Amino acid sequence: MIISDIKGTVKLRNDVTMPYFGLGVFQIPDGEELRQNVQYALSAGYRHIDTASLYANERSVGEAVRESGLPRKEVFVTSKVWNSDQGYDSTLRAFDKSMKLLGFDYLDLYLVHWPVKGKFIETWRAVEHLYTDGRVRSIGVSNFLRHHLDDLLPYCKVMPMVNQMEFHPRLVQQELIDFCQSRSIQYEAWSPLMQGRIFNIKELKSISEKYKKDIAQLVLRWSLQKGVVTIPKSNRRERIKSNAQIFDFEITPGDMKAIDSLDRNERVGADPDNFNF
């Protein structure tokens, strides 16, 4: 990944360009505050917004993008099919509902949100259908560990282009990153700041001070330098702005290794092998 500025992109396996930095909107209610903050992020240079049907805020995301004044093609929007909607026909219905809420003619990226046992292969068939129909520019999965991918890939007519995973200094999963890279599956981070717990890791404080950055900025830059697309969530304008101030410094190889060494296989979200939604 070549890191340039907030509008920089990576090229997916199908040559679609995906902004490597974006805004997540998990747990932010639908409504005026979210709409205004998404618009603020877009005015600040963000070009990637990540939502999902579960978040129940697709309507506000769509309104913000349409009212931003930016051409639709300049904003990369992701959504996801939720677990209770998995299966072939129900995934197609769920997608139609998401598109109606968003108010879009197409989606940039559609993900299978979790690997629901006994359903995710049929769900993937539906997602492939949406892709071949041209309703989605790129498709992928979320929360798929190596064995989930091993189960899915033999059935794929279209390979996943993205795997969105919990990723931060306490949960690196380097072997999974390497596996995805070997299959040209772009790794993407959710919860890169550990839902705020990143600030409790004392080792990060001394490293961040070397670069005159805060811990969040250090960790987001580390994520990008790892080649991981990164979508920190925030509903505060000052944090939306400061999270993006990571393109004027570079972490040394030694400090990258020091941050890598903080891995404890520690999750703040559910385990993909034991989720109960």
Side-chain angles (χ1 to χ4, degrees):
M1 180 187 292
I2 299 174
I3 303 169
S4 56
D5 57 30
I6 192 172
K7 297 178 185 177
T9 61
V10 293
K11 188 172 284 190
L12 302 180
R13 64 184 305 126
N14 65 340
D15 291 332
V16 166
T17 54
M18 177 184 189
Y20 50 56
F21 189 77
L23 178 71
V25 296
F26 176 54
Q27 292 183 329
I28 303 177
D30 208 33
E32 182 66 14
E33 185 178 13
L34 173 60
R35 186 179 65 80
Q36 290 187 1
N37 283 335
V38 170
Q39 286 187 340
Y40 176 78
L42 294 173
S43 71
Y46 286 70
R47 291 296 182 266
H48 180 172
I49 309 296
D50 181 275
T51 184
S53 62
L54 172 71
Y55 305 169
N57 56 20
E58 291 168 308
R59 188 187 304 278
S60 292
V61 168
E63 289 173 351
V65 172
R66 287 195 302 279
E67 295 169 9
S68 69
L70 294 167
R72 171 68 185 89
K73 65 181 180 181
E74 289 190 17
V75 184
F76 190 100
V77 179
T78 300
S79 194
K80 312 172 191 79
V81 57
W82 183 238
N83 301 345
S84 58
D85 292 319
Q86 289 203 32
Y88 189 86
D89 292 333
S90 50
T91 293
L92 298 180
R93 288 193 296 269
F95 178 81
D96 286 341
K97 182 179 179 181
S98 288
M99 294 299 284
K100 184 176 180 180
L101 289 168
L102 287 162
F104 293 161
D105 295 326
Y106 69 90
L107 193 62
D108 296 283
L109 176 63
Y110 199 47
L111 302 177
V112 181
H113 208 150
W114 290 84
V116 175
K117 188 175 181 179
K119 288 192 174 182
F120 67 76
I121 292 174
E122 284 301 299
T123 302
W124 184 253
R125 285 184 55 241
V127 171
E128 287 180 327
H129 176 75
L130 294 168
Y131 176 73
T132 56
D133 261 10
R135 303 190 68 194
V136 185
R137 296 178 64 229
S138 48
I139 55 178
V141 295
S142 182
N143 302 300
F144 275 55
L145 299 173
R146 167 70 185 269
H147 69 90
H148 298 123
L149 292 170
D150 285 340
D151 288 343
L152 176 65
L153 296 185
Y155 294 93
C156 291
K157 294 179 181 177
V158 180
M159 291 281 285
M161 295 146 199
V162 173
N163 188 13
Q164 186 183 113
M165 298 293 299
E166 181 179 346
F167 172 84
H168 45 70
R170 289 298 198 210
L171 185 70
V172 178
Q173 299 187 109
Q174 188 63 51
E175 289 184 2
L176 182 58
I177 294 173
D178 294 342
F179 177 81
C180 288
Q181 288 179 342
S182 73
R183 301 298 191 277
S184 298
I185 300 171
Q186 175 62 50
Y187 210 80
E188 181 177 14
W190 64 260
S191 200
L193 302 178
M194 297 181 67
Q195 299 178 9
R197 298 181 207 178
I198 202 77
F199 299 102
N200 299 327
I201 302 176
K202 65 181 186 301
E203 293 92 340
L204 293 172
K205 183 173 175 55
S206 60
I207 300 175
S208 67
E209 288 173 349
K210 289 174 55 177
Y211 297 95
K212 296 181 172 57
K213 293 291 181 178
D214 66 27
I215 289 174
Q217 291 165 336
L218 175 78
V219 169
L220 295 173
R221 178 72 194 199
W222 165 81
S223 182
L224 292 183
Q225 286 186 215
K226 294 278 288 180
V228 177
V229 170
T230 304
I231 46 168
K233 167 237 174 168
S234 182
N235 201 33
R236 293 166 46 214
R237 292 192 177 192
E238 63 271 22
R239 179 52 67 184
I240 291 171
K241 181 179 179 181
S242 66
N243 281 348
Q245 294 172 340
I246 58 174
F247 300 101
D248 57 353
F249 76 109
E250 183 173 351
I251 302 171
T252 66
D255 286 336
M256 288 292 292
K257 290 180 180 178
I259 299 171
D260 286 350
S261 73
L262 300 173
D263 187 13
R264 301 291 185 271
N265 198 34
E266 176 185 326
R267 299 181 182 278
V268 296
D271 184 338
D273 279 331
N274 187 28
F275 60 95
N276 194 22
F277 324 124

